[in-house]
Amino acid sequence: MKILKFDCIDSTNTYGKSNFDNLDDKTVIISDEQTQGRGRFNRTWISQDCDNIYLSLILKPEKKDYLANLTQYMSVIAAKTIETYNVAPQIKWPNDVMINNKKVCGILCEGVIKNNKLSGVVLGIGINLNANEKILEIINKPATSLNIELEQKIDKDLFLKKFLDNFFENYENA
């Protein structure tokens, strides 16, 4: 697994799609901030807070049959990682993770087609780890952050390690 880290980028998914051919399988693209973060249907994902997680995975498996399940798989992995903090998240099909009916995580999966064949996917996720109330108020739907639920700052590097370890442990069996 190779990790590309940016201070600020337009979108980790956009970068992943634009550079897909030059990136290895299982490359992690992470940024402290996104200027054009987005979710499904091009909805804006507010990504101004460097203590949250904004990342995309480049996935180019030889067997492509399980790629259709990766959004749901990532939802389960995000929920399981959040559960390690003694919080009970719920998955809102197909691509959101909620805590107390408020969105804490969103997922965007985009296929990459080359020569009319699926080459792989760029699988992005935004996780509110340490958002402040002002940022959450900008969002036009109920949203929360793990730090608000726990009333304490979350170690971003530790959460990221748990999340990536959990994801790649069984990803090829998803």
Side-chain angles (χ1 to χ4, degrees):
M1 167 176 47
K2 181 178 182 180
I3 298 178
L4 301 177
K5 182 155 181 9
F6 296 89
D7 293 330
C8 185
I9 196 170
D10 56 353
S11 157
T12 57
N13 262 42
T14 300
Y15 181 90
K17 286 181 72 178
S18 297
N19 295 283
F20 189 83
D21 291 339
N22 300 321
L23 298 171
D24 295 330
D25 182 34
K26 300 180 185 174
T27 296
V28 178
I29 305 161
I30 188 164
S31 186
D32 286 338
E33 182 180 353
Q34 297 182 112
T35 58
Q36 296 174 19
R38 58 190 163 77
R40 286 178 65 214
F41 308 116
N42 244 0
R43 292 183 183 125
T44 300
W45 183 268
I46 305 295
S47 7
Q48 303 169 356
D49 197 329
C50 66
D51 278 337
N52 292 323
I53 290 180
Y54 316 112
L55 73 77
S56 296
L57 304 175
I58 302 299
L59 302 174
K60 302 177 180 182
E62 287 186 32
K63 290 185 351 182
K64 308 275 191 274
D65 54 340
Y66 60 87
L67 288 176
N69 300 323
L70 286 179
T71 298
Q72 293 84 354
Y73 175 70
M74 186 176 262
S75 295
V76 170
I77 295 304
K80 284 185 175 191
T81 305
I82 290 168
E83 285 174 349
T84 66
Y85 292 84
N86 296 317
V87 174
Q90 306 85 36
I91 296 172
K92 180 182 170 199
W93 190 89
N95 66 325
D96 293 336
V97 178
M98 315 289 279
I99 299 175
N100 298 321
N101 296 315
K102 297 177 184 174
K103 190 171 182 172
V104 70
C105 168
I107 297 165
L108 176 63
C109 185
E110 298 182 279
V112 177
I113 308 293
K114 299 287 180 185
N115 299 321
N116 294 321
K117 291 177 75 175
L118 181 64
S119 295
V121 298
V122 179
L123 184 60
I125 188 166
I127 306 171
N128 294 333
L129 284 187
N130 292 296
N132 65 51
E133 296 278 354
K134 289 180 184 178
I135 294 291
L136 295 177
E137 288 172 8
I138 296 171
I139 301 169
N140 62 354
K141 295 189 178 192
T144 191
S145 184
L146 195 53
N147 68 310
I148 290 171
E149 297 297 322
L150 295 174
E151 299 180 353
Q152 67 183 35
K153 185 171 172 62
I154 307 303
D155 183 319
K156 180 179 173 179
D157 293 332
L158 178 61
F159 187 97
L160 181 61
K161 181 180 180 346
K162 286 181 189 182
F163 175 78
L164 291 173
D165 287 348
N166 288 339
F167 184 89
F168 285 116
E169 181 177 3
N170 289 306
Y171 129 80
E172 291 173 342
N173 299 318

